[in-house]
Amino acid sequence: MAEGLAIETIVVGDAIRRELTDADLERVIAVAREVSAEWGETLAARAKESPEQVKEALRGGARRLLALTALKERAPKVFAAKVAELRAQGETARAVAEIRRLEAAASSSQDALAAARAALDACAKRQVEATIAARAEELSALEQYIERMRKDLARDGGNVDALAQELAQRARERGPRRGDGPGAPDGPGEPDGARGGELPPTAPPPQP
């Protein structure tokens, strides 16, 4: 089954790039608690012991939780669908654990195993339904985001002269920097004007 769309990447980008504050960490823990009380308490304990380590983890492999936090603020419908999906995943995992527990216990009856397997089937169906619902919300948010981008592109395409003057003015105000020269890039691997002289992003994050 295909994974959901990566709208989190669009929404959370600025949060990943900047330094995370203690307030950011508190918001992340609150979101974790909405998904699972146990998850929230575990994260809270880790943050109390080593907040900087948790912040670093959020900027790295655990950035999905940071993305959820951004979704709650900027795309609440997508956030709600994602939370439902994660809760469904947790239910499926618990159903699998129960089957394994029963299979490992010599005293388990066939009726108990049959009931546990039926419960897993039900959990799997709910998880698939939750994933499809989350993908639908993501797609709706992305469609709105793309539509705003189209409108911004059309607006900027009809305003080339004014935007060029604004860009030139900012470049003059910035002044020369070390290494500047005709055709010199702004930094390693960046084309001319990629930093400091570029047009600002015109489309806000999606807010379905």
Side-chain angles (χ1 to χ4, degrees):
M1 183 172 59
E3 295 295 331
L5 302 172
I7 192 173
E8 300 102 315
T9 303
I10 297 173
V11 174
V12 81
D14 59 336
I16 290 176
R17 286 190 291 269
R18 66 177 174 80
E19 289 298 318
L20 300 179
T21 65
D22 290 342
D24 291 328
L25 195 52
E26 290 177 3
R27 285 194 291 271
V28 167
I29 292 170
V31 165
R33 286 192 174 110
E34 289 194 48
V35 177
S36 163
E38 182 181 359
W39 189 19
E41 292 308 315
T42 298
L43 186 61
R46 287 180 56 196
K48 184 176 181 180
E49 180 180 341
S50 181
E52 293 307 317
Q53 187 176 41
V54 174
K55 290 176 186 177
E56 185 61 33
L58 290 170
R59 286 189 291 266
R63 68 176 60 186
R64 188 70 181 272
L65 184 51
L66 191 61
L68 276 175
T69 304
L71 283 176
K72 182 177 182 178
E73 298 172 354
R74 306 181 190 183
K77 288 184 179 180
V78 179
F79 169 77
K82 284 289 187 181
V83 168
E85 180 185 19
L86 289 170
R87 287 175 176 170
Q89 290 174 4
E91 290 177 0
T92 300
R94 286 189 290 273
V96 170
E98 176 64 8
I99 289 175
R100 290 175 178 168
R101 185 190 69 79
L102 289 171
E103 289 175 340
S107 59
S108 297
S109 68
Q110 290 302 309
D111 287 345
L113 275 169
R117 288 165 182 155
L120 174 59
D121 290 342
C123 287
K125 182 178 180 180
R126 286 195 295 271
Q127 181 178 333
V128 170
E129 290 172 342
T131 296
I132 290 172
R135 288 167 59 193
E137 287 294 348
E138 286 182 304
L139 182 58
S140 176
L142 282 170
E143 286 173 342
Q144 294 177 47
Y145 179 71
I146 290 170
E147 180 60 26
R148 283 195 292 271
M149 289 183 67
R150 292 187 194 280
K151 291 179 180 178
D152 289 338
L153 180 61
R155 180 197 64 204
D156 290 346
N159 200 27
V160 171
D161 290 341
L163 290 172
Q165 291 176 9
E166 181 183 347
L167 179 60
Q169 180 62 32
R170 290 206 305 271
R172 286 192 294 269
E173 291 173 353
R174 186 187 66 184
R177 298 180 302 179
R178 187 174 64 180
D180 278 353
D186 280 353
E190 294 175 334
D192 231 7
R195 186 177 59 197
E198 75 277 28
L199 294 177
T202 53
Q207 296 180 335

